[in-house]
Amino acid sequence: MAPRTAAAATEVEESHSMPGLQFNQPLSWRAGKPIAVADLLRRLQALSKEMQGMDQEQNERESFTKVAKELVNPNLLTHKDKGVKALTACCLVDILRICAPDAPFTGQQLKDIFNLIITQILPALADPSHAYNHQHIYVLNSLAVVKSIILLADLPIADTLITNVFKICFDVLASPAKVSDGEGLQRTVESDMTAMLVCLVDETPALPSDAVDIIVAQFLRTDPKAVSGSGGKNKKNGIVDEKQSTLVLRQLPPAYNMAKYICIACPENMARYFSQYFNDIVIDASQTSTHKVPSKNKKRHSDGVDDSDDDHTGGPNEEGISDLRKVHGLLRELWRACPGVLQNVIPQLEAELSAENIQLRLLATETFGDIISGIGAAGPPAPANLDPAAYPSNALADPSENTTSLNLVTKPSSPQPFPSTHPQAYANYLGRRLDKSALVRAAWTTGIGRILTTSAGGAGLSQQEEDRLIADLGRTLGDSDEKVRIAAVRLISNFSFRDIVHKLGRSGGVDESGSVLATLAERVKDLKQPVRAEAMPVLARIWGVAVGEISAGNEQVCAMLKGIPSKILNTHYTNDLEVMALLDHIFFEQLLPLNYPPVKAKNPKMTNGSSQGAKENQGETIDPDKIRTERILLLIRDLDGRAKKVFYINQSRPPKLAPYVTAFLELCEEYNGGVMDQNEAQIKEHLTKLIQTFAGRFVNSQQASADLWKFAKMHDRRSYQLIRFCMKPDTDYRTIIKAIRELTKRIVEISPSTTASNSLVETLTSLLYQISLIVYNKSHVPAIMEYTRTDDKSLAATAHELLRQISSQTPEVLKAHVQAICKTLQDEAPTAKKANDAGAVDNLKACASFASKYPKEIPQDPKFRQAMTSFALHGSPAEAAKYAVSVIWAASEKKEMLVRDLVQQCLKGFQYGGEGFLSRLATLSQLMLLAPNEIGQDSTDAILDVAIKQILTQVREPSKKAADAYEWSSSIDTEALAKIWALKILVNHIRSHDDAESLPAVAAPQYRLLSNLIEQQGELSSARDTPPSHKSRLRLLAARLYLKLCTHKPHEALLTASAFNALAVVAQDSIREVRAGFLQRLKKYLHQQKLSQRFYTIPFLFAFEPSDQIRSDVTTWIKSRAAIFSNIRSQQMGSSSKVNTVMESVIARLISLLAHHPDYASDAEDLIDLSRYIIFYLQNVATEDNLSLIYHIAQRVKACRDAVTSTPAPDAPPTEADDRLYHLSDLAQITIRKYEDTHNWTIQTLPGKVRLPSSLFSEIKSHSEAQRIAEHNYLPEDVEAGVEHLLKATLRASRPGHGKKRKSEGDSEGREAKKAKALPVRKAAGTGATKEKKATPKKTAMKTKTPTKAKKTTEPKEPDSGERRRSGRAKTVEKNYVERDSEEDDEEMYMNAAAEEPETNSEVDALADDSDPEMDDRNEEVRTNRGPDEAEGEEESDQEEEPEVEVEEEEPEEESAPKTTPIPASRSKRKTTTSPQSKTKARPTKPKPKATRSKASSNRARPKQMPSDDDDELSDPPESE
């Protein structure tokens, strides 16, 4: 021991002689004689404490040699005690600090030292509760501050150690352990680790690739998918529970922050490393590429699929693409965190935009879009919540709209503005809009949408750049590929309401052509169903959110978005079942959500931090019915004319369908789930018929039929009752909604299969939307009435309109409120000095409609009767008097006395311009219709004298314009109104005439007057000084009154064929409003089955219609009717001896009408011009199945003679009218043949003979003459070529999308003026001149390039249209108002149209007839002066012959199911000839005898209740098309 002691003494002396380490205790030991742990710990603590106070410059470094040697002894470095290793590490880092820059250790010793620190000390930092945590932190701090960590770079295995340092440091920060008191890692640990790693990155010549990978991995910690897929079984490994994926992160992960700071501190080095990393990934992916060789037999894709999507060039396989997706996700996050490190990567990423491989281009496009938007690996933020059912709705000033995302990882953030930082890459990215691949264009669309919504990640966009992106977004909405359009629509759904208004709305609203919102609105009519299904809900949600601002009167929002409901509802005119089914869901789930407003929320505060939750204002009571009513009124107020028709027609479905749903439920109860004691076959048969009828209203009729059968087999009586609740008029709104919800829940609970239950729920929900009284609900009536009184938010007019519609369609809903309506009318009754309120007219109309069905519910007190009398004498406008008379007639018990008093008061001292003279005329007009017998003959004569002598024959303000002046005025002056009411008095006089035998004589003057008004263009004065605006009104009124008269069989028989031809030409009047008004009424009566078949000829005269809107309406309506008749015919085939051929037989009548058309001429050019009518007919009616019949009928015309102008002798030579028929027959045949060739169809020879109407055609008795006519070709040489050219041009122009881009419906009106030049109105109806008769027909070749051009202007000036039409009918015989034929066969051909299904499969049919539910149409068939069950059964004449293909006679109802369907109980009011037993069954299986007519099939029956003249009123111009 001595040598050791002497040596120790020598060392002590040396230590005292110079500054240095004073510690002299041994730290190492021999094998087998270890130092006690306690002693060792005490010595190490002393050494550490001493060295911690030393500085580098104040100490002799050689004094540390011995201690340094002992500290690196394996006994200490690998000691089992953690404290020993921790203190040893502290001492070692102090020695490195003091002896810096020359460490007193060899390379191997340094390796052992850092191995201890890396494997033992740094990992222990993850446990803050460690006993030696302070020492661990000290070691880390020393390495960071002194930067002794850089010694790793000089070691032989530096890469491994450096990689381990990065791995352990990030692991410590990624998943720190916590002690019981919640203490976590100290902030100094993160900062020291960051400084240490930054030092390594800066000082290491080349960072190991594994270390770079570790840094890269930290940026993916914000991506839940990447973290959850990284491995491990618990949260310590970074697993994110899927259930917690929606949790909001308040701060970024420490490991993420450390990697971010490293990149920010070392941008150049990390940029180099990341560039190499990106290159390696791309190279690795390209080495896994799979080269595809295109097959020689591979077919091209059709229906709009982009062939470029199938990339055949070599590219990465699935594994390579997966790696590329990860690295592209990394690039997104790197841009958010540290964009400087991507300075070398952006050019490489830009190169991918031009890659041949579509997958690379797609990835690059997606990545650039997210980078520019500041969207990282976690993906975009949650989209804006456009909740249409929220109350209150979003407001532009709502602060919640500005609330940024609280989730830091999804909050868009771009530290640098990408467009200015990388302008070339940005420009290249914008060029991807024209990429050949639809997938890339779709991804690009999503990208620019995110750029717009995030304002380029918060960096901001210039006004010019933002406008450019918005314009590009609008272009993508019209892209040729549906995938791009869908992407654009989905993108817009992510915009907030504020962005929609302030960004997308900057280019214009939905009604402004070319704007983004207008293009979006066009997508609801897209040819592709997926696009429509995406666009319609988005557009509806936008309006649902904007309804609050619209209600508040925000002019910007109103102008921009109020047209959305019109755009959506107008899709009904597409006549597509898918569209109409989707429309019901959109209407009741987006526009008027069933749960709006959600007032059940108890918390008055806004839910989810926004105003979209239901809330109750302090001190205010929310009335959900009033809130909902206001939304309904706002929607109706802003609808255009076409959309409003759709709205009201859809709301009229419940009362029409209710009887058939009731019958269905009764049959389900009888069916008893398939277990029946009796009548099993009959019940199944009837149930099958009803189910087939309802299934026909669905897109997938087979699935709907299966679902309805499933419902019947379930036999759930509670479900039956719930459906009945939805249909009852006395059910309030909340009960209906609860019933729908409960029914849905029961179906899901009962059905064992989820798929089956979903299908059944969808089918029943669609049916419930059609039959439930949701809008016309009694809960809404009080609020509607309140709006009529207060005019709050200018909704009074709309409220009156809605109330009128409710009273017309479902007056039962008003039962609980009719007394209030009557009380209001009583208070507002006018006097000679006091006028009534303007809204009283609608209240009177509602009251009159209700009184027609429930007269006993109307008050009978004298005050109310006096109020109605006051309205009848002083009401303003005059319609108020008419409705007041209807109320008096329906509800009063002393009708005769009241009628006499009214007539006397109206006639007493009557003079034009006197007080209330218009109201008196209206009262007299209505009394002439309702009470002709009570008025008396003397009073009748006096009334007629007033109408004729004092009104019609007088011109109080003579026109100073030319005699042939003819124009339209939007307003009607007093004189015109008086003549309108006077004319109605005359017509109502013959409408109410009961005696059929004396009717021709009584009606002759009125018919003559109407004919003169039509032929003389509304001129009645012999001086021809009637104001031009009066003439157009009177001509239109005369035409509409003619139609109304013809809805009754006796009156229709008085309309001769020549008079009909004159009436038909009104369809070509020179004034658009006259044509539109006439067409509106014509379609209405034809849809209601009130007019005979010959009136189907008139719509085809619109072939030359210059208004795109009117022409489109006519086309849609004709196609709809043709489809209905075709469906009926298909059901009749094989089950009936008569088949419906209504539309096919029209061709013969059309030929006859054209033969007597004022514009007829036999030269080639005019015949080609006339062929346009036939082409128009074929386009809308002809199919491959019926073309043969059409051709056969057209051919048969040539075997007849004309019977319109006269009845020729059997042996008389052909007349000019005959030649015209033969010309047109040949023209029709050749046109049909060309149409056949164009469509590659085949005309079959039909057996048998076709019979034509005897009122138009007569038989050729001479066989030789018939043979000669048949063999002779009457057409000039050039006609065939001209027809062929015209047909091809017409069909080419009619193809969808031909020659034009997708345009909104509103664009059509703007093109009318241009269209009119090419397609002028036929001159027969205008004031143009007549073409002189040519001496000889043209034989030279005609110019077929412009077959539709107008007549040559070099022709002589023609006389006025009135003279022209007279000359065209010069050979007509003296007018006879009794036609020889009743045309009963015509009626048979189409009267069963309504009998086949409740409302027809196509609701467009009801829309296209411009239905205007008025009292007159509802009560036209009944009068109160006859018994309620009385029905006429006159014998029907059968004088006129029709084609031999006939239809079986039935008893059709207006809304009846198939003929074997059980008749609902409500039908028992009809008088029938069946026995009581047959009434019980109510399921006729045999056709009725022909002599018996049902009420529906005999539209000429005498009225039983009070008809009125509402629909003839012209106080307002026809609604704008």
Side-chain angles (χ1 to χ4, degrees), residues 1362-1381:
E1363 295 176 356
R1364 177 189 178 187
R1365 283 190 291 275
R1366 286 197 297 273
S1367 64
R1369 293 168 175 77
K1371 294 186 179 182
T1372 57
V1373 297
E1374 183 179 356
K1375 294 187 182 300
N1376 176 16
Y1377 294 97
V1378 181
E1379 192 175 7
R1380 296 180 300 102
D1381 301 301

Side-chain angles (χ1 to χ4, degrees), residues 581-594:
L582 176 62
L583 183 57
D584 282 333
H585 286 270
I586 294 300
F587 190 85
F588 291 113
E589 295 169 9
Q590 308 289 345
L591 293 178
L592 298 176
L594 298 182

Side-chain angles (χ1 to χ4, degrees), residues 1040-1100:
R1040 297 174 79 163
L1041 290 176
Y1042 243 147
L1043 293 178
K1044 178 174 286 296
L1045 287 171
C1046 291
T1047 59
H1048 295 273
K1049 185 77 175 176
H1051 291 283
E1052 201 268 344
L1054 301 180
L1055 183 66
T1056 63
S1058 57
F1060 173 83
N1061 292 341
L1063 173 65
V1065 178
V1066 177
Q1068 295 179 321
D1069 192 277
S1070 60
I1071 295 179
R1072 182 187 187 278
E1073 287 78 7
V1074 175
R1075 302 195 305 274
F1078 178 66
L1079 174 65
Q1080 175 189 12
R1081 194 53 46 84
L1082 176 67
K1083 292 191 299 181
K1084 175 182 177 180
Y1085 290 151
L1086 284 174
H1087 169 68
Q1088 294 173 346
Q1089 305 294 326
K1090 292 183 177 181
L1091 294 175
S1092 63
Q1093 176 188 348
R1094 61 172 169 170
F1095 286 90
Y1096 276 98
T1097 313
I1098 299 178
F1100 296 102

Side-chain angles (χ1 to χ4, degrees), residues 376-405:
N385 183 21
L386 299 178
D387 184 6
Y391 180 79
S393 301
N394 276 16
L396 289 178
D398 192 344
S400 65
E401 283 285 315
N402 295 324
T403 303
T404 56
S405 173

Side-chain angles (χ1 to χ4, degrees), residues 117-118 121-126 140 143 149 152 161-176 185 189-190 192-198 200 214-215 218 221 254-256 258-259 262:
I117 294 174
I118 294 171
I121 304 303
L122 294 182
L125 288 169
L140 174 63
L143 292 175
I149 191 67
L152 278 177
L161 294 175
I162 292 175
T163 300
N164 289 336
V165 170
F166 277 90
K167 180 179 183 301
I168 291 172
C169 287
F170 282 114
D171 285 347
V172 168
L173 294 185
S175 55
L185 285 177
V189 174
E190 180 180 348
D192 288 341
M193 281 188 174
T194 302
M196 179 179 67
L197 296 182
V198 168
L200 276 178
I214 293 172
I215 297 175
Q218 309 314 309
R221 290 187 180 275
Y256 176 94
M258 185 165 67
I262 291 172

